[in-house]
Every structure is written in structure tokens, then in C-alpha cells.
Amino acid sequence: MSLLAVRAAAAAAAEAANRGKIRSRAVRALSDRTMRFLLFCAALFSIVTTFAIILVLLVETVKFFSISYAAPLAITQGDTIASIEAAHGDAEVLAPMNHGIWPPTTLDPGSFVNVPTTPSVVDFLFGTRWEPLLGAERHFGILPLVAGTVMVTVIAAIFAMPIGLITAIFLSEYARPRTRAILKPILEVLAGIPTVVYGFFALMVITPYGLQAPSRFLTGLMLDLGILRPDPIDPGPSAIFGGFNAMGAGLAVGIMILPIVSSLSEDALRAVPRSLRDAAYGLGCTRFDVSTRVVVPAALSGITASFLLAMARAIGETMIVALAAGGLAQLTLNPADQMQTMTAYMVQIFLGDAPAFSVEYQSSFAVASVLFVMTLSMAVLGSIILRRFREEYE
Amino acid sequence: MSRASFADGSVTRLSPPRRTPAEIVASAAPKSAARRVAVNRAFLITCLVCTTLAVLVLVVLLISIAFTGGHWLMAVDRVAAFDSAWSIPGPFGSLGNVAAFVGAGLVALLSILLFAPLKLSLRRVVLSVFLVALALSCWGLWGFIRTDFFTEFASRFPHKAGIRAPLWGSIWVCAICGIVALPIGIATAIYLEEFAPKNRLTNFIRLNISNLSGVPSIVYGIIGLTAFARLFSIFGTARDQPGFEFGTPEQWFYLRLPFGSGVLAGGLTLMLVVLPIVIISSQEALRAVPGTLRQGALAMGSTRWQMVWRMTLPASIPSIMTGAILAMSRAIGEAAPLLVLGVPLFMRRTPENLMSDFTVLPLQIYRWAADPRQDFRDLAASGIIVLLVVLLSFNAIAIFIRQKLQKQLQ
Amino acid sequence: MATFKIVALSLFSMLLVLSLGLVALTAAPQDLGKLPRSSVRIDGSSTVYPITEAVAEDFSKVAPQVNVTIGMSGTGGGFKRFCVGEIDISNASRSIKKTEADHAAVAKIEFIELPIAYDGLTIVTHPSNTFVDRLTVDQIKKIFSATGGVKTWKDVNPAWPEKTITVFSPGTDSGTFDYFREVTVGKDGKMRSDMTVSEDDNVLVTGVAGDPNAIGFFGCAYYFENKDKVRAIPIVNSKGAAVLPSHDTVTAGAYEPFSRPLFIYVNRKAADRPEVDAFVRFYLEKAPKLAEEVGYIALPESVYGTAMTNWKARRTGTQFLDASGNPVHGPVTTTYK
């Protein structure tokens, strides 16, 4: 190695000499300093990007909370136009609903007027109805969208984490080098497939053949065996899962993050020094004992970091859920229902479902902020765990 | 916490391990032998099942897509004739067509053998056979492929639809993305590995980069929309009154401020997505260059920059290329950020200048997949086949370069 | 190293050949027309989208140097862009509203109104749903309004099963939505809020096709294209007959109240550009045939004649709003002159 170094260094020096241009020390120092500065600017670009993300999301979210839109307010006994206007910050009361004449001569209790309202932060963060586009009232409670995201992520995690971890253990502890050489590229291929393809797969293969067909088979079986009573109107076997459902999308997201979990966990497992393993083998442990009691606990911080990173990726996944999970934002625990995730809602808005610069349009930025905070905290948590709890054995 | 000092003056903190090695090994103290062996065997079976499941998923994915999408890519009449008769006129006669299928089988087998460790002479033989088989299969298969799919635009008739506009859109956008992302990414990696002093700013930059790699791509789309397409609304929003123009629409470098949702804005948005990947893989490439090489150059009197430019960078270029190829394959497959940019639904035109509207292959697949008619879903599968072929060849090249390098370094 | 070079070289040359072949295929010389290299920007209703798409596709075969781009932001979304001058033509599945006409006037944008086809707005359900054999307008109102309180099929008709209804609807920016709301719950009525909403009618078709308890509505072209996936519900008209949408029932006026005309609105200033003029003339010539092909119903020949006359005369303003700003209903032949 050192011979190589000397040879290479000598070649560089000789090349400079042959060019007849051994530059003066000052010139070299200047070019060194210039390049250093340029490279520093390039490195700053990443900081600029982060600041740009935070700034843009912050500005647009603030805009969201300050746009006023017309929300109905029920009229109770004793309300007058003046009192309503005073109560709502002197804002002008807009046209009433269910009345034909304006200005109204009487305000009947039980009817409604529209008052300008701005979305409130508390309602946004803790509200349970997300109905920004339709309906008698507009609701901007983000919990249904968060529930959709969490449901899809949890299904993906339940699928990907055990299989990914076991695959990683297999690759690092059990597999021969030849098997590794074949399997690793296969997993990398899985990692490189675009997410649109997984969305298509969820819609066309997972839902009809993986979920609906087995459900029909099982319910048909249960009907035949008498476990299920047949429905009087629709007595055949039921598919249980609708065309859009959270389960199919969740499984597709799980397939997508499987290679992330397995390759990062495998890196963490291989970083554990051989001496630990050898000592355990020397005591007569089987491979299983070594893997589960020695290697995995030693690499636990890396494995946890890989789980968190994979979950961050799953939370931010867009195309799969846009194609397969559905468009109804509802707070439900049933994975057979369709659920709208945060990213799917943003796609719906940006594909033109709302006029530009209106409150619905701005709501997608607010949702993006929440999404960003969620993924950022997972990534930061992952790096903290990695740095703090990593076991060093040197 | 204890500190460890190294020869070059850098200091790092070591936290004591949570358990001593003796404790770890002792906790794995053996119990009944037969039970442990049985447990071990059961776990091995579990491992095999899991790994097979992972591989099976990939196989099912590829087969289902091939089945649904295959028929739009193939010239239907020729395939039908092949079903009925074993020899049909192809570009080079029936021999070529038979060789196509033989070659395809050989390709599959040999590509597996390729990644296994073999003796050098045997390897050369295997490689030559692989190349011949590949050439023959391409030769023969070419007669089957329906080239209309690549030359036609999207249409309301499935049998007339093609991917011409998204194909060229993808090429333009990914070219711009690569031209912008690679220099910035590699420069950042060089700075972080070679020049950065060990202070808080450097740690902050590193933290930033690892956080940026976890940001969802749709958020990058929002940034691209605000910062590149609208340029923070400095120049107004109406499309027909550009704040500033440079060149004419006939020239490819026509610039208009604000950029609008053209290929330039799309390429820059993808650059944001791809940059963290390029940086991280370039960092690893630079780290793999042995420190002795660097020390040698410095000892001979070169400046740091000279050392990097003439020594480290050339040595690490193959690894950097691998990382760049993988980053580009990610860029080709991204659809979400470009969706946010506002790509039009119906495009019967390939991009002509930097401000042209465009569409990309993943987005066209998305539109076709969302159409409830089965023919369009099959078209989506055909588009996916094209996309996957491009991506898999990129991946194969990258893996190959990396395997080659591992041999060299050993 | 030698093998590496061989392999790299051969892979590279294969890629080169492939890409050259691709370039040769796609860079074929194009037809030159008299029109300049230009673009026509269209956006708006997803109902009208299939017709405009068909026209644009045929037009681009004749004049490939004109780049026609079409978006699908919904009728309302299209009008919002139209009224600030962002697009040249707005696809609309309803006539322009008073507020939108006022916005255009404020922005000094004049528009030319052209009806181009009939649509029989279809209400659909899943094919396995056989018990819903007909619906009256009152029942539809009950299902879709915010105050109807309908959660299951039983709430609509006690003979039907107690299964929860999943509702699919176009979004608020959709002209189909506006028209449907006006006909069922009234202009000021409110629709229920727990519907799956999308501007893209394809999503609605997929949704209804995948859920046995679904109900949804969209333009009839989407129904005819997907007859194997969804089932249309016959609507009881004012004469008491339960009618399915079809070419004959819509033309004869038997399918009511959900027959409606579809429009395009063209920016008056854009009309001066030769490519826009050529495109609109092509549209009016081909609309009868292409509308039928796509699944809608062609208007009577006389209406297309009137439209062409109005276009040539560049007649601006809308004839579908009365003096107080309310939309005018009735046969297109009487309203549009």
C-alpha cells in the first residue's frame, strides 16, 4: 500500500513537472483557497434547502390560519346583526343561509348566518372531522388524515419489520457468501422499483387477488359450514374489502420498505465485531443463540434506527396511497375501509380540486407541515439513538 | 464518558458499552442441547421462509406486470403466429427467433452465475457466452416488439396509445437533474470529507443532510413549486406576462422568469430529491480511498486541493459513478414532486425548450392506472415494463461496477 | 481488467444502438401546416374532458405544430383560471355563473359561449346491487342532502337492506356537482359532507365499481365506457316513468331532470389567434361525431349551426343567465340563438 502511495504521489509530481508548469506556492495556495470556498458554498446549499423547506411551510401554514372563510353560525334568541358583528371582531356578517332577502329584517332563532371564520389551531390539531371541501360546515380537524397515515404505516411495519429483520439476520449470520451475492442484488432491485409500480400492484393484484378473492372464498366456506348466517338480501360470499382499502395500500408500502429495513439492519448486524460471535460459539451456542442473544442486542441501536427510517419513508409515501387507499377521510380502525392519508389529500388538492389561494388550497400546506414534522422527528430520533446508544467494542 | 485521541489530533468520545463482552457472552449460556438445536433448526426454516417470501413478492410483482402489460408491447399478429407455428418470419429468419428464447433463458441463468465467485478463466468463458446469448436474444426479440408504443402519443384509443411524450419528458428532466445535482452533491461530499474542519457548523451540515434524506418527496415538490416554478411570486403569477425573457422559444435554452412548470423547474425539483443520495454515496466513496494515499500526496508537497483533484477523486470515481447511477434511477421513478408542480394531463408534444410543459413516465403510468377501463390499466403495465427495463439495466450496471471494484480492492 | 473493458464496451455500445434507434424512430419529420408553432391552453370540467381530448387528438394529426394542453381542474377551477386569463378555453359542464361572469367583466375578459353536446348525468351503483330498481328525485334529494339523515339503504326505502351507503361525488369545483346540487337540493341547499370526493370521474368509477354499497354520479360518457363495472339506476321522470340514460331518451327529453348541455367558453382575445380560431372551428365541425363516439349525445344540427354563426360573428356574453342572474333551463334550441 505504501509503495502504491509513493508511486502515485511521485507520478503526480512528475506530471506537474513535465507540464513545465510547477506553479509558485502562492498560486497554488490561492487556487486551493478558492476551491475550498466553492466547495463550502456547495455544502451550504443543503442548509439553504432545509431553511427553504421550513420557511415555505411556515409561511404557508400561517397563511392558512389567517384566511377567513364563511362558516355558518346558528342564531339563538336575542341575537342581532350588531351583536354578532361585535362578537366576531367587527367583521361584516355575510349573506345568511336559507333566507332570500338581504339585509334580513328579522333573525329567526334556529336559522344560520355566515360569519367569517379562520381555522383554529386547536381544531386543526385535535379535530376529528376533515371535511374541507363540502358539506354544510367546513371542518379542518386533521386527525382522520393522521389516522389514515398511521394505519397504512402500521400495516406496513407489521409486514416489513419482522420479515426484514429475519432476512437481515439470515443474510448476515446464516447465509453463505454465494447466497448473499445473489440475494443482496435482488433486495436492491426491490428497493429501486418506483412507487407508482407498487401502487399499481396494490390496486390490480393485492386488492382483487390477495384480499377480495380469499375473503370471498373464506366467507363462502363459512357460509357453507354454517358458521356465518347468510344475508337475506345479498346471500352470496362477501369480499369484505372494497376496491379502495387501507390494507392493500399498507401491504404495498410494506413491500416498499422491506429492503430498507433489511439492508440497514444487515449493515448494523455486520458491524458487530467477530470476536463476540466467536466467543459465543466457543461456549457452544447455536447460531440462533448467537444471533438473538449476542448479535441483535449488540446491534439494537442500528436496527432501531433502521426501523425509524423505514417508518419515516412509509409516512411520506404518496403514489401508493393515492392510487390504492381511497379518498374518504374518516376516522376508523377497520383496515378494510378506505382511508385518506395526508399525502393523498395533498395530491387531491394539487391535482386541482381547490381554487388557488383559497382556504382549502392552503390547508394542504398545513397538512404538509404536520407531515414534515412527523418525518423529521422520526429521522432525528433515529440519529440520536444511533449516536447515543451505539455500543463500541474496540 | 472517556475520550480517545488519534494521531492526527482528532478526538472522539467513546461511551462505555452497556454490557461488558463477558456479560454478553455469559447471558448466552447454553441450556439443554437438543432443545437448542431444534430451536436453531426452526429458526433457520423461518429465515428461509422469510427470505423466500421477499424474493417471491418480487417475482409475483414482475410476472403480474409482464402478463398484463406484455400484449401492448408485442406486435400481436407476430406473437399469435408464433403460437400456431414454430417458425415465423422475423428480422433475421426463424433461427433468430428460436435463438431469442434460448438466449433469454441463458441470460437469466448466466446473470445469476455472474455474481457468484468463480475462477478467472471460467469467468471469462461465462462472460463471453453471456454476451453472445444477450446479443442473440435482443436480435430476435426486436422482431416482436411493437415500436409504435414508443413513437405514438397518448390517445383515447388504447391500441393507438404510446409513451413518446413521457419518454422524452423523462429524458429532459432527468438530464437537467443530473447536470445540476451531481456537481453540487460531489462538491459537498468532497468538502465534508476532505476540507471541513471539525466544528459545530460541519456537524450541523452533516445533520442536515441526514435529515434531508428522510423528507417525503412531496414536500420537495412544494418547495419546487414555490421556489422554482413561482420563484416566490416575485415576478407575478400570470402565465402570459413573463417578468423576464431570454432567447426565443425556438432555442432550447429559452428562459423565462418565473420558470412556470417547465422542464427546468421539474429538473431542479428532482435535484432536491436526489441531492442527499448523491452526497451520502459520494461521501462513502471518498471515505473508501485509503488514507495512506492522501498522506503520501501531502508529504510530496501538494496542496489539499491538488491532492483531491489528482489523487482522491480519480481513485473514487467508479464508486461515485455507482452512487450517481443509483440516484438517477431514483429520479427517473419519482412522480409525486412533479405532480405538485402541476403537470398537464394531456400532452401530445415532446419538450422543445427549457420552459416547455412536460410529462414523465411514472406520471403517465399513474394516469393510465387510475383509469377504470382494463385496456388502459394494461397500458399502464406496459409503461411499467419499459420503466423497469431502464431501471434494472441502470441497477445492473451499478452493481457490476461495484462488484468489479470490490475485486480490485481486495 | 480486460474482461471489464470488454463487458463495459459491449454494454455501452448496446445502449448506444438502442438510444440511436429510439431517436431515429421518434425524431421523424413532422407535417408542416400553415399555422404557426403555438399552443392552446384548455382546462375545466372532467365531464367535457373526453370530448375535448378526442378533438385535440384529431386536431394534432392535422396540425401537429399546435400544442393543445388540457387540464382537469373541474368546471369551477377552469373558470377561475379562465377569468384571470390563464387559459384560452374553459371546458364547462354547466353554464357560467353570475359571479364568474362578473369576475371576467372585472378582468376585462369577454367570452364566447358555445354549447357542444348533451349529457345525461347518470346515477350509478355496483352491479351486484339489484334491489335499487329505480329512484325518484325526492329519494335522491334525501340521500344526498346534508339534512336527509340517510345512512343506510333502509332509510331511503324500508324494503331495502340495512347496509351503509358509500357515496361518491365529484368535487365542489365540478360543474356536474353544481348541476346535481341545483336539481336535487336546490341552489342554496347543502350536500352531505361524508362523501368521497374527486374531480377525476375515473376515480369515482373505480370507487363505485369496488364497493357493493356504493352510489355515485357522473357524466354518461363515463357510464357507457364502463358499463361492465357499474350499473345505472333508472330515474323516475315527471311523467312517472323510470328511465335510463341513452341517446334516445336524452334527445327526446324523456331522461329528466338530469339532461343538460355541455359548453366550451372561449376567450374573446384568444379568438383572434389563428390557431385558436382553427381549433374551435374544428371542434364545432367534429363535435357531433366525436361526442357520440365518446359516449355523450349530440345536440340537434341547428344548434351547431347557430354556434358556428355565433363563433364567426364573435358574439360574446351568455344566453343562459336571465336578468336577475339565475340560470336558464329548458331546451337548448329555444335558449341558444
Side-chain angles (χ1 to χ4, degrees), chain B residues 189-237:
Chain B
I190 294 176
Y191 177 76
L192 283 176
E193 287 301 309
E194 307 287 339
F195 290 92
K198 290 202 170 34
N199 57 19
R200 297 187 66 171
L201 181 61
T202 309
N203 286 343
F204 186 58
I205 295 179
R206 283 188 215 270
L207 184 67
N208 249 316
I209 291 169
S210 64
N211 288 341
L212 281 179
S213 56
V215 172
S217 53
I218 199 169
V219 174
Y220 283 124
I222 293 182
I223 306 302
L225 176 70
T226 319
F228 297 129
R230 294 196 185 142
L231 282 177
F232 301 106
S233 300
I234 303 176
F235 296 97
T237 51

Side-chain angles (χ1 to χ4, degrees), chain A residues 97-99 129 131 133-137 203 212 231 233-234 241-244 327-328 338 348 351-355, chain C residues 72-73 80 131 146 159 161 163 166 168 172-173 177 190-199 203 206-207 210-211:
Chain A
M97 293 159 51
N98 299 339
H99 278 265
R129 289 171 68 177
E131 289 147 17
L133 298 173
L134 291 169
E137 308 157 16
L203 194 61
Q212 288 180 329
D231 199 312
I233 299 292
D234 185 19
F241 292 93
F244 292 132
L328 184 60
Q338 56 169 328
Q348 184 186 31
L351 274 183
D353 260 31
Chain C
M72 208 201 273
S73 313
K80 274 170 196 90
F131 51 85
K163 293 249 176 78
T166 326
F168 290 87
T172 41
D173 255 347
F177 176 82
K190 289 292 171 180
M191 300 271 274
R192 65 192 292 165
S193 49
D194 56 344
M195 306 194 283
T196 304
V197 156
S198 174
E199 296 309 342
V203 172
T206 312
D211 190 335

Side-chain angles (χ1 to χ4, degrees), chain A residues 1-2 4-6 8-10 12-13 15 19 23 28-29 31-32 35-36 39-40 42-47 49-53 56-57 60 159 162-163 166-167 169-170 174 178 181-183 185-190 192-198 200-201 203-205 255 258 276 279-280 283-289 291-294 297-298 312-313 316 318-319 322-323 343 346-347 350-351 357 361 364-365 368 371-372 375-376 379-380 383 387-393, chain B residues 14-15 17-19 21 24-28 30-31 36-37 39-40 43-44 46-48 50-51 53-55 57-58 60-62 64-65 68 112-113 115-117 184 187-188 190-191 195 201 204-205 207-212 214-220 222-223 225-226 230 232 237 271-272 275 279 290 292-293 296-297 300-306 310-311 329-330 333 335-336 339-340 362-363 365-367 369-370 374 377 380-381 384 387-388 391-392 395 399 402-403:
Chain A
M1 256 315 152
S2 54
L4 202 61
V6 171
E15 193 192 340
R19 286 231 202 97
R23 297 205 203 121
R28 272 185 297 141
S31 79
D32 185 78
M35 289 318 299
R36 213 181 268 254
L39 294 175
F40 179 64
L44 276 187
F45 187 73
S46 61
I47 299 189
T49 312
T50 313
F51 276 130
I53 295 178
V56 167
L57 286 179
E60 301 286 347
F159 176 80
I163 299 183
I166 294 182
T167 311
I169 296 178
F170 176 70
Y174 284 82
R178 184 161 164 166
I182 301 178
L183 280 179
I186 292 181
L187 283 175
E188 278 185 28
V189 165
L190 260 184
I193 293 184
T195 52
V196 192
V197 179
Y198 286 123
F200 178 80
F201 188 58
L203 194 61
M204 297 292 297
V205 178
I255 300 174
L258 181 65
L276 288 176
L283 281 180
C285 294
T286 60
R287 262 195 234 247
F288 174 68
D289 291 330
S291 310
T292 47
R293 288 173 181 275
V294 177
R313 191 77 199 277
T318 311
M319 301 309 293
L323 269 176
T343 46
M346 286 161 64
V347 166
F350 285 117
L351 274 183
F357 312 119
Y361 186 77
S364 76
F365 290 110
L371 184 70
F372 179 65
T375 48
L376 192 68
V380 167
S383 10
R387 259 181 303 137
R388 277 277 190 84
F389 297 102
R390 179 163 44 190
E391 315 222 351
E392 307 259 356
Y393 301 104
Chain B
L14 277 179
S15 57
R18 304 282 147 185
R19 306 172 294 163
I24 295 168
V25 173
S27 78
K31 298 183 182 68
R36 278 184 301 116
V37 167
V39 163
N40 187 45
F43 186 67
L44 179 62
T46 321
C47 282
L48 287 173
C50 280
T51 319
L53 193 65
V55 173
V57 159
L58 180 65
V60 168
L61 181 74
L62 292 177
S64 60
I65 287 176
T68 34
I112 293 180
L113 286 177
F115 296 115
I184 298 183
T188 309
I190 294 176
Y191 177 76
F195 290 92
L201 181 61
F204 186 58
I205 295 179
L207 184 67
N208 249 316
I209 291 169
S210 64
N211 288 341
L212 281 179
V215 172
S217 53
I218 199 169
V219 174
Y220 283 124
I222 293 182
I223 306 302
L225 176 70
T226 319
R230 294 196 185 142
F232 301 106
T237 51
M271 177 262 293
L272 290 177
L275 200 58
I279 295 177
T292 46
L293 280 179
M300 300 294 276
S302 56
T303 63
R304 251 214 134 94
W305 168 246
Q306 275 184 325
R310 294 195 194 286
M311 174 87 56
S329 52
R330 174 90 192 264
L339 249 183
V340 172
L363 274 179
I365 294 171
Y366 174 69
R367 306 254 186 256
Q374 190 56 35
R377 291 199 167 156
I384 291 178
L387 189 59
L388 285 181
L391 283 174
L392 286 177
N395 258 14
I399 293 176
R402 189 174 33 175
Q403 297 263 358

Side-chain angles (χ1 to χ4, degrees), chain B residues 326-350:
Chain B
L326 291 174
M328 279 301 107
S329 52
R330 174 90 192 264
I332 294 178
E334 278 291 335
L338 298 175
L339 249 183
V340 172
L341 263 191
V343 187
L345 241 105
F346 182 82
M347 276 298 297
R348 285 187 67 93
R349 175 74 74 85
T350 57

